[in-house]
């Protein structure tokens, strides 16, 4: 496990925690939206950003769990923390649009968007919009959310002069996908469904989304970065629907996995650290730029996915 403690060019390693990588950073005056913030690395990300003075909007499917997380965060942070809880079910485009409208009603600027939530289903399940559930929740929901919040982020970075940051939480599992990378036909017709491949496809889509958005924002001259992170192997509720995987994670996984505090580190690093200023369209692991599959850097596939996704959210 020596590699886990080996520091990269950033000065941090896989063993670094979210608090360690944000030590000394002043986030006062910033506003962040974090999806899936009621538990796991999403909750830890919300706690650490709030600890650094960021006003955090927790976007959660289970509002009661979100309120409990909010209360715990505010009770822990001396001097209080600004935390809001809003409902968001990423599998439903209607819910995403309601969330965006509710966020707009808060009249807040948006500086940081962390697309953290994810699902790993066991069965062939369709979303309320008739899409394969992994693709709908892990990619389309975040794609639509990002589009709906982007104008706010552009205004915020123009008015404040502070770089906006968008972070997609992906996975090294993006390598386990279809031979063509994204099998567009499987999105509407998941016959021959394999949940691991479907999950990997959605995680590949997370990376391609940020790569294409990064290109668009650079072409527009907008001061917003778009990056993707791999949090590492963490025993969280993501595996609750996979009995065998959950059992493995609770045995062998305990040896090779990292804590939630360590798992949230790369997200918090990319969202807040000055070292990441001006860096965009990259994939990070262990708080350092990391390598991806060849499919994840396929610019044409990224453009095709973007156009395909726009058609879905516009229909």
């Amino acid at each position: 496990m020596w590699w886990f403690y080996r520091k990269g060019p950033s000065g941090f390693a896989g063993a670094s925690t979210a608090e360690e990588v944000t030590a000394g950073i002043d986030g006062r005056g910033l506003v962040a939206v974090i999806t899936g913030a009621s538990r796991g690395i999403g909750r830890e990300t919300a706690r650490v950003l709030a600890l650094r003075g960021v006003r955090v909007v927790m976007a959660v499917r289970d509002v009661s769990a979100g309120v409990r997380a909010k209360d715990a965060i505010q009770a822990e942070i001396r001097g209080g923390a600004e935390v809001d809880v809003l409902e968001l079910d990423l599998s439903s485009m209607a819910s995403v649009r309601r969330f965006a409208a509710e966020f707009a009603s808060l009249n807040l600027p948006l500086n940081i968007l962390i697309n953290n939530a994810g699902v790993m289903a066991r069965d062939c399940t369709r979303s309320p919009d008739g899409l394969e559930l992994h693709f709908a929740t892990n990619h389309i929901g975040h794609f639509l959310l990002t589009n709906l919040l982007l104008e706010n982020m552009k205004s915020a970075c123009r008015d404040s002069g502070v770089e906006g940051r968008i972070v997609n939480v992906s996975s090294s599992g993006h390598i386990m996908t279809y031979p063509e990378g994204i099998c567009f036909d499987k999105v509407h017709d998941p016959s021959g469904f394999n949940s691991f491949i479907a999950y990997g496809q959605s995680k590949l889509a997370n990376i391609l989304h940020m790569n294409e958005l990064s290109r668009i924002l650079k072409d527009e001259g907008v001061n917003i970065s778009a990056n993707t992170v791999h949090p590492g192997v963490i025993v969280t509720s993501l595996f609750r629907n996979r009995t065998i995987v959950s059992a493995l994670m609770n045995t062998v996984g305990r040896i090779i996995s990292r804590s939630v505090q360590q798992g949230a580190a790369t997200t918090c690093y990319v969202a807040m650290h000055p070292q990441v200023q001006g860096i965009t369209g990259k994939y990070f692991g262990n708080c350092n730029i990391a390598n991806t599959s060849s499919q994840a850097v396929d610019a044409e596939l990224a453009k095709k996915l973007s156009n395909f996704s726009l058609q879905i959210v516009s229909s």
Side-chain angles (χ1 to χ4, degrees):
M1 294 288 288
W2 60 269
W3 52 267
F4 190 57
Y5 297 91
R6 185 177 65 182
K7 295 180 180 179
S10 70
F12 301 112
S16 301
T17 66
E19 284 199 30
E20 289 170 347
V21 304
T22 58
I25 296 175
D26 186 357
R28 287 176 296 179
L30 300 178
V31 177
V33 166
I34 306 171
T35 69
S38 62
R39 56 175 59 90
I41 62 172
R43 176 173 171 169
E44 177 66 3
T45 300
R47 184 188 72 83
V48 172
L49 263 62
L51 183 66
R52 302 304 176 216
V54 178
R55 178 166 180 173
V56 173
V57 178
M58 304 171 71
V60 301
R61 186 173 59 179
D62 185 342
V63 174
S64 61
V67 170
R68 289 194 297 272
K70 168 189 172 179
D71 291 344
I73 290 170
Q74 290 182 320
E76 175 191 338
I77 297 176
R78 192 177 306 171
E82 290 187 286
V83 182
D84 301 275
V85 177
L86 296 179
E87 184 176 9
L88 172 64
D89 178 356
L90 285 159
S91 71
S92 164
M93 288 188 279
S95 177
V96 175
R97 290 189 170 93
R98 282 194 299 272
F99 172 87
E102 289 179 15
F103 179 77
S105 71
L106 297 177
N107 293 313
L108 293 172
L110 181 60
N111 309 101
I112 301 168
L113 172 60
I114 299 176
N115 292 320
N116 163 81
V119 64
M120 179 184 281
R122 180 177 58 187
D123 303 316
C124 179
T125 308
R126 291 179 184 267
S127 74
D129 302 299
L131 306 174
E132 189 279 313
L133 187 64
H134 293 93
F135 195 84
T137 305
N138 298 349
H139 170 62
I140 289 296
H142 283 132
F143 180 89
L144 176 58
L145 178 66
T146 302
N147 282 5
L148 293 173
L149 299 180
L150 196 54
E151 286 305 315
N152 182 318
M153 293 195 73
K154 289 179 179 179
S155 296
C157 73
R158 281 196 302 266
D159 295 343
S160 67
V162 176
E163 179 188 63
R165 298 192 184 185
I166 303 173
V167 183
N168 269 8
V169 178
S170 180
S171 167
S172 60
H174 75 273
I175 65 174
M176 297 187 299
T177 186
Y178 299 99
E180 60 268 53
I182 303 294
C183 186
F184 296 97
D185 293 340
K186 292 289 185 184
V187 172
H188 294 286
D189 178 24
S191 56
F193 175 89
N194 179 294
S195 61
F196 290 108
I197 299 300
Y199 176 77
Q201 174 179 253
S202 71
K203 295 289 99 180
L204 174 61
N206 290 154
I207 302 173
L208 294 170
H209 174 204
M210 288 296 96
N211 289 353
E212 177 63 5
L213 181 59
S214 170
R215 183 192 66 78
I216 292 170
L217 293 172
K218 283 195 290 187
D219 286 349
E220 293 179 355
V222 177
N223 188 26
I224 298 175
S225 65
N227 292 297
T228 316
V229 304
H230 166 51
V233 179
I234 308 155
V235 181
T236 70
S237 60
L238 177 66
F239 303 104
R240 62 186 178 275
N241 294 319
R242 302 291 313 192
T243 306
I244 296 175
V245 176
S246 181
L248 287 171
M249 290 301 296
N250 283 298
T251 53
V252 178
R254 296 291 180 184
I255 301 173
I256 63 172
S257 67
R258 63 192 66 189
S259 69
V260 168
Q261 291 78 16
Q262 292 166 332
T266 303
T267 301
C268 291
Y269 171 76
V270 175
M272 294 199 70
H273 206 284
Q275 288 179 349
V276 188
Q277 179 82 24
I279 298 175
T280 187
K282 300 298 182 182
Y283 174 82
F284 289 78
N286 297 333
C287 300
N288 286 276
I289 294 175
N291 295 321
T292 64
S293 69
S294 59
Q295 292 169 328
V297 292
D298 186 332
E300 289 305 312
L301 182 60
K303 289 180 184 178
K304 185 176 180 180
L305 175 64
S306 180
N307 291 333
F308 179 76
S309 302
L310 280 171
Q311 290 178 350
I312 290 176
V313 301
S314 301
S315 61

